Amino acid sequence: MAALDVRRWEARTGLLFVLPCLLLFLLFRFGPSVAGVLLGFFDSSIGDSPTWTGVDNYRRMATDPVFWESLRITLIYTILYVPASMAASVGMALLVRRAFRGAAFFRSVFFLPVVTSLVLAGTVFTWLFSSEGPITKLTGQSWLASTTLVIPALVIVSVWSRFGYGMLIVLARLQDLPRELEEAALTDGASTWQRFRYIVAPQLRPALFFVAVIETTNSFQVFDLVYVMTGGGPAHGSFTLVMALYEQAFKNFDFGYASAIGVALFVMTLVVALIQRLIIGRSK
């Protein structure tokens, strides 16, 4: 009984110490989220008191062609970016998995873009893809001036800047896998692809699920790279959902409608994450 009382006292003491941080987390993390959801049911702008409008903002969203076009562009970007980023992450993790001279150096180099300022990277790549840049001279067309090539250009920069993070997650999982199964398969004559498909890949499922959810969330929320490189152009060819939210909130000052777009974005991200959970994350 005395030991039980001591454990309870320790638990209460620990809770007391973390309570200030917990309250600040709830206030600044969940407080704005709840306020944003509620604001979606109001007509709100600078200088005016919020007016209750019910679901009018969502009705407006359902008939807004700009919203649907920005959703289409965001989905195209996501469909291109997520598989490419995951493939690069897995490929690089397999490349630096084995211990060889300089492995730590290459791991650091591959991770370096993750900690590089995305604004700086976007500025550099804007020049590379510009009409005077080397990529345009090599391909004969300015990618950022083409409504067809602007999304692939953004995907290339995004993959370059993000694959290092997924590489570390996959690499950590790879280093925990028992090597005996692969060695046995190699002895039986299995090819590199067969060993990866039937032995390594199934055991990577938890890591792949985590990377898929993280990268999908990032792709739905892409903004800074688009803002720096294209500003949503050309001809709204890269006008993503978050760009639409930004325009409504900070250009039109329609905070109620912007909040409704944010709620819709959250719901779509959650639904996609649940689908990924069913496809990738389920256990056999």
Side-chain angles (χ1 to χ4, degrees):
M1 188 66 181
L4 181 60
D5 292 338
V6 169
R7 286 198 296 268
R8 288 177 178 174
W9 180 83
E10 290 177 346
R12 292 170 183 171
T13 304
L15 180 60
L16 184 62
F17 276 104
V18 302
L19 187 59
C21 292
L22 180 61
L23 292 177
L24 289 175
F25 179 80
L26 293 174
L27 177 63
F28 292 103
R29 184 67 176 178
F30 290 98
S33 301
V34 174
V37 172
L38 295 177
L39 196 59
F41 297 98
F42 288 83
D43 180 11
S44 176
S45 60
I46 290 181
D48 296 331
S49 299
T51 305
W52 174 266
T53 58
V55 295
D56 286 355
N57 286 321
Y58 295 95
R59 289 198 186 102
R60 174 184 170 186
M61 188 190 310
T63 58
D64 185 1
V66 176
F67 169 80
W68 291 107
E69 179 64 15
S70 62
L71 174 60
R72 184 186 70 85
I73 292 172
T74 302
L75 290 176
I76 292 174
Y77 173 86
T78 301
I79 291 170
L80 294 177
Y81 166 73
V82 174
S85 180
M86 292 183 65
S89 299
V90 174
M92 292 303 177
L94 292 172
L95 184 64
V96 299
R97 175 190 185 187
R98 301 185 182 278
F100 59 91
R101 180 174 296 180
F105 169 76
F106 284 106
R107 292 172 187 172
S108 301
V109 170
F110 292 155
F111 187 75
L112 187 61
V114 179
V115 297
T116 301
S117 169
L118 200 55
V119 174
L120 176 61
T123 302
V124 173
F125 276 98
T126 299
W127 172 75
L128 292 175
F129 284 107
S130 67
S131 57
E132 300 298 326
I135 296 179
T136 298
K137 293 180 180 179
L138 183 65
T139 60
Q141 186 173 4
S142 176
W143 289 44
L144 300 184
S146 169
T147 55
T148 303
L149 296 176
V150 65
I151 296 298
L154 292 171
V155 168
I156 291 173
V157 182
S158 299
V159 171
W160 174 85
S161 65
R162 286 287 305 175
F163 81 88
Y165 179 78
M167 179 197 72
L168 283 187
I169 301 299
V170 176
L171 181 61
R173 177 60 179 167
L174 283 172
Q175 291 177 337
D176 287 338
L177 300 183
R179 303 297 295 272
E180 292 80 6
L181 293 176
E182 293 181 70
E183 293 172 356
L186 180 61
T187 303
D188 291 338
S191 64
T192 302
W193 168 248
Q194 288 173 330
R195 294 199 303 273
F196 173 77
R197 179 180 178 184
Y198 296 107
I199 298 176
V200 177
Q203 299 180 82
L204 287 180
R205 188 184 294 271
L208 293 178
F209 168 65
F210 178 80
V211 174
V213 172
I214 293 296
E215 297 304 336
T216 301
T217 303
N218 286 330
S219 65
F220 271 100
Q221 296 178 353
V222 62
F223 171 77
D224 39 10
L225 194 64
V226 177
Y227 185 82
V228 171
M229 293 186 64
T230 67
H236 277 201
S238 60
F239 199 73
T240 61
L241 270 178
V242 181
M243 286 294 297
L245 189 156
Y246 169 80
E247 182 176 79
Q248 292 296 332
F250 299 105
K251 290 186 177 181
N252 300 337
F253 301 111
D254 193 345
F255 300 122
Y257 187 48
S259 297
I261 295 176
V263 172
L265 179 61
F266 168 75
V267 171
M268 285 184 286
T269 305
L270 180 61
V271 169
V272 172
L274 292 175
I275 295 174
Q276 291 172 327
R277 174 69 178 86
L278 293 175
I279 296 175
I280 303 176
R282 65 169 181 253
S283 8
K284 290 187 177 181

